[in-house]
Amino acid sequence: MDGRSPAVCLTPSSPKKLSFDDLLLEAGGFGRFQVLTLMILCIPRLILPQNFLLHIFISSVPSHHCAIFPNELMGNLTKEDLLLVYIPREVDGAYSSCKMYSQPQLHLLHNNSEVTANKSSLKSCDQGWEYDHSTFISTTATQWDLICERKWLNSALATFFFIGVTMGAICIGYLSDRYGRRTMLLICYILSFVFGSLSAVSISYTMLAVCRTLCGMSLAGLSITTVALSVEWVDMRHRTFAEIITGMFWSVGSVSLALMAYLLRDWHWLLGAVTAPCLLGIISIWWLPESARWLLANGKVEKAEAELARCAVVNGQIYEKSSMNKRIQTLLEHRPPSGSPSYIDLFRTPALRKLSLCLALIWFGVASSYYGISLNITGFGLSMYLTHCLYGLIEFPAKLGIYVLMNWLGRRWTQVLVLMGTAVCIGANMIIPMAFGSLRSAVAIIGKGFSEASFTSIILYTAEIYPTIIRQNGIGYASFVGRLGVSVAPMIMLLEDVWLILPQTLFCCLAVTGGLVANLLPETQNVQLPETISDVESKRSQLHDEIQMTEK
């Protein structure tokens, strides 16, 4: 022991491997170019919640009862008297929504507490229904009488839409990895506008169901291409910031939907209003850059150089073409050749296979519990407009909180924490009595905040886990599984007819399962984005240690 400090041994291979982040730093790092790109990508994040949560309002079922056509002898009876003699009451004292007396019960006018006729004297509404139009002028339920025995058709509209989103995530994820992020984003904008407009003028249930399904497929492209572009144009240090900023506009879209629904009480006009911003998105494509990461990963070197030069100029950086070209060639020399990406690549190798299976379970739990809470906006003692607005407002502090947690705890433990928080809130509302409306509202709003935080976290987490060469395939696959969860959420809500708390029990269990599985994922905080499949198969922990050593 000579008292000297021990030497730090470095292997000869310790020089830092050149990555795309180094090219970004030479082009100005995170500057005005990245800010402008993120601002453009905020447009689809604004459009998505307005469409994804739209069915809460356009398919809402107002109070209703069987249509009454009294004979001439009852012309002097008031509206309340007609309801009394024609419509039976439920156990809670409310008038039945789906049954009426086969013969008027005139004796109830003299003693309405008297035992009414037995069930054999009841019949279904054979002459239509009368609706309460105080909240909505028109919804899909009132347009085609999608109530009572046909109420599943009303819930199916949301399911059809999310089936479209599910199919779109798979198709557009593949096409985006093959033909580029920017190209597919433009196509999806155009298709979203076309099918959204056709949905708004639908003249039949079938036409609406088909158009909403195709619109869902198009909107899925806006979702997954936006995520990829937002992480591929920023460096390692700003990935969380980029996702939180663009994610804030999801919350803006959610809150604005409540305002639009309050002002536009007819489902046709509301559908048209949420479709119109797609025009702004189409125009914005002119200023949106293609992903230079994707261009390099697919051998389009000249176009990648042009985009990086554009980035440097906007960021006020002196662009040295020879230096950038040399770095790009060095980066490509150390990158193994890769064929055309496909979804098979997500399961071809052991590490990716494990990641893909885990992400599937997490996405299903995150998406189903998020929409399970979002679709349940009644029964809390507040108007549905106010409840939905509060659901949207709670997302702002939730996103700020997730920004702190992801930088403090990392991606993995943050995902576990917020999913467990979601499950606790759903479970708490299952045992809080209905009479405590204010308390139930507060717990539901907190639960919505946790579920939004889990969605924000898993979107960024997924983009960081998959390599550039198959990132859109990976995001598309994860989104596909998530949308399966969303597709079944409206149908799960119908199980309350079997047992009142059965839907919430299922959503709670799914959130818990997702939280447990999230613990199996690798940490991606302060780790460079993988570019190839071999990057994922190598030990990411070693890469993390190298970066930490470099920072020190």
Side-chain angles (χ1 to χ4, degrees):
M1 300 291 291
D2 58 3
R4 291 177 297 180
S5 300
V8 177
C9 296
L10 296 176
T11 63
S13 59
S14 59
K16 181 174 175 286
K17 178 182 175 182
L18 186 68
S19 69
F20 183 83
D21 279 8
D22 296 308
L23 303 183
L24 276 183
L25 289 175
E26 188 164 327
F30 189 88
R32 185 166 52 180
F33 179 85
Q34 279 70 25
V35 172
L36 292 174
T37 300
L38 291 177
M39 289 177 62
I40 295 173
L41 294 176
C42 286
I43 297 174
R45 296 302 285 269
L46 181 72
I47 295 171
L48 290 170
Q50 293 177 347
N51 282 271
F52 282 19
L53 301 174
L54 181 63
H55 291 84
I56 295 173
F57 298 102
I58 68 169
S59 296
S60 183
V61 180
S63 299
H64 57 277
H65 59 75
C66 298
I68 301 173
F69 296 95
N71 55 43
E72 296 179 358
L73 297 177
M74 299 183 184
N76 295 327
L77 295 181
T78 63
K79 178 68 173 179
E80 186 63 31
D81 288 339
L82 289 173
L83 288 173
L84 188 63
V85 300
Y86 275 102
I87 308 298
R89 291 182 182 272
E90 302 288 357
V91 177
D92 60 0
Y95 288 109
S96 174
S97 299
C98 303
K99 297 292 182 180
M100 68 182 301
Y101 294 121
S102 55
Q103 295 294 329
Q105 306 294 303
L106 296 175
H107 61 279
L108 295 177
L109 292 172
H110 307 290
N111 184 6
N112 58 19
S113 62
E114 184 178 335
V115 177
T116 57
N118 56 39
K119 292 186 178 180
S120 62
S121 65
L122 300 180
K123 65 176 183 178
S124 299
C125 306
D126 54 2
Q127 299 184 54
W129 286 264
E130 293 182 14
Y131 297 95
D132 176 11
H133 293 289
S134 61
T135 303
F136 296 100
I137 296 175
S138 175
T139 69
T140 58
T142 65
Q143 180 88 25
W144 295 293
D145 290 333
L146 304 180
I147 52 178
C148 299
E149 293 85 0
R150 287 160 50 87
K151 68 178 181 180
W152 69 272
L153 287 171
N154 199 41
S155 297
L157 284 173
T159 299
F160 290 146
F161 173 79
F162 285 111
I163 287 175
V165 174
T166 302
M167 294 187 297
I170 288 291
C171 297
I172 297 171
Y174 170 77
L175 294 173
S176 182
D177 271 337
R178 190 171 181 85
Y179 299 108
R181 289 36 167 152
R182 183 174 179 270
T183 300
M184 292 311 303
L185 187 60
L186 174 60
I187 293 173
C188 290
Y189 268 135
I190 295 172
L191 293 178
S192 296
F193 179 76
V194 171
F195 291 122
S197 300
L198 289 174
S199 297
V201 297
S202 295
I203 58 176
S204 69
Y205 176 85
T206 303
M207 179 180 176
L208 178 62
V210 171
C211 289
R212 287 301 289 165
T213 302
L214 295 174
C215 187
M217 291 184 65
S218 307
L219 288 166
L222 301 188
S223 177
I224 62 178
T225 52
T226 299
V227 173
L229 278 170
S230 64
V231 299
E232 290 178 352
W233 265 117
V234 298
D235 58 13
M236 179 177 59
R237 293 178 179 274
H238 294 90
R239 291 200 302 256
T240 305
F241 174 78
E243 173 57 28
I244 297 300
I245 290 300
T246 56
M248 283 290 184
F249 279 80
W250 172 285
S251 304
V252 173
S254 181
V255 174
S256 64
L257 175 61
L259 177 61
M260 287 192 291
Y262 180 79
L263 296 175
L264 302 171
R265 306 295 182 96
D266 186 294
W267 70 271
H268 298 87
W269 288 104
L270 182 57
L271 237 172
V274 301
T275 301
C278 290
L279 289 175
L280 178 61
I282 293 172
I283 297 172
S284 71
I285 289 292
W286 178 264
W287 296 279
L288 184 68
E290 179 56 275
S291 169
R293 286 184 193 266
W294 176 83
L295 291 169
L296 286 177
N298 286 271
K300 302 177 185 296
V301 179
E302 291 185 2
K303 292 183 178 180
E305 288 181 356
E307 294 290 4
L308 287 168
R310 176 182 171 190
C311 174
V313 171
V314 176
N315 284 339
Q317 193 80 3
I318 298 176
Y319 180 75
E320 298 180 3
K321 184 175 181 179
S322 59
S323 175
M324 179 65 74
N325 185 268
K326 182 178 179 180
R327 283 177 171 268
I328 290 176
Q329 293 303 321
T330 302
L331 178 64
L332 295 177
E333 287 173 3
H334 291 84
R335 179 174 294 175
S338 58
S340 299
S342 71
Y343 286 103
I344 298 176
D345 294 326
L346 302 178
F347 301 93
R348 194 188 303 276
T349 54
L352 273 175
R353 189 181 308 121
K354 174 188 173 183
L355 293 173
S356 296
L357 292 175
C358 289
L359 285 170
L361 291 173
I362 298 169
W363 269 84
F364 193 91
V366 168
S368 58
S369 59
Y370 177 89
Y371 284 93
I373 295 176
S374 299
L375 295 175
N376 186 27
I377 63 173
T378 59
F380 299 114
L382 301 174
S383 76
M384 62 186 309
Y385 302 109
L386 180 57
T387 301
H388 185 81
C389 184
L390 292 175
Y391 274 1
L393 291 174
I394 192 63
E395 294 181 1
F396 290 101
K399 283 185 168 64
L400 293 176
I402 204 71
Y403 176 76
V404 175
L405 285 175
M406 292 179 80
N407 285 324
W408 179 39
L409 296 178
R411 290 13 174 182
R412 179 174 57 191
W413 287 111
T414 296
Q415 193 67 57
V416 173
L417 177 64
V418 292
L419 274 171
M420 290 303 179
T422 302
V424 168
C425 291
I426 294 175
N429 257 350
M430 291 163 52
I431 61 177
I432 297 176
M434 297 292 290
F436 295 89
S438 298
L439 179 59
R440 285 172 54 81
S441 296
V443 173
I445 291 169
I446 294 173
K448 182 59 162 56
F450 274 116
S451 65
E452 168 59 28
S454 68
F455 228 134
T456 302
S457 176
I458 195 60
I459 289 173
L460 176 61
Y461 206 173
T462 303
E464 291 181 337
I465 283 177
Y466 284 116
T468 300
I469 193 66
I470 57 169
R471 181 166 294 120
Q472 283 284 202
N473 278 328
I475 296 174
Y477 155 77
S479 181
F480 164 80
V481 178
R483 301 315 169 189
L484 285 179
V486 177
S487 299
V488 302
M491 295 304 174
I492 291 178
M493 296 296 292
L494 294 177
L495 294 177
E496 63 184 6
D497 293 338
V498 178
W499 184 30
L500 186 60
I501 64 172
L502 181 55
Q504 302 308 312
T505 301
L506 293 175
F507 291 135
C508 182
C509 292
L510 288 170
V512 170
T513 302
L516 294 175
V517 175
N519 192 41
L520 302 177
L521 293 178
E523 181 56 66
T524 60
Q525 183 185 17
N526 292 329
V527 176
Q528 292 174 354
L529 288 179
E531 304 294 342
T532 64
I533 293 176
S534 61
D535 291 341
V536 177
E537 292 302 314
S538 64
K539 293 182 179 179
R540 293 178 67 119
S541 59
Q542 292 181 356
L543 182 57
H544 183 273
D545 292 341
E546 290 179 9
I547 294 173
Q548 293 296 320
M549 180 67 71
T550 302
E551 291 179 349
K552 291 179 181 179

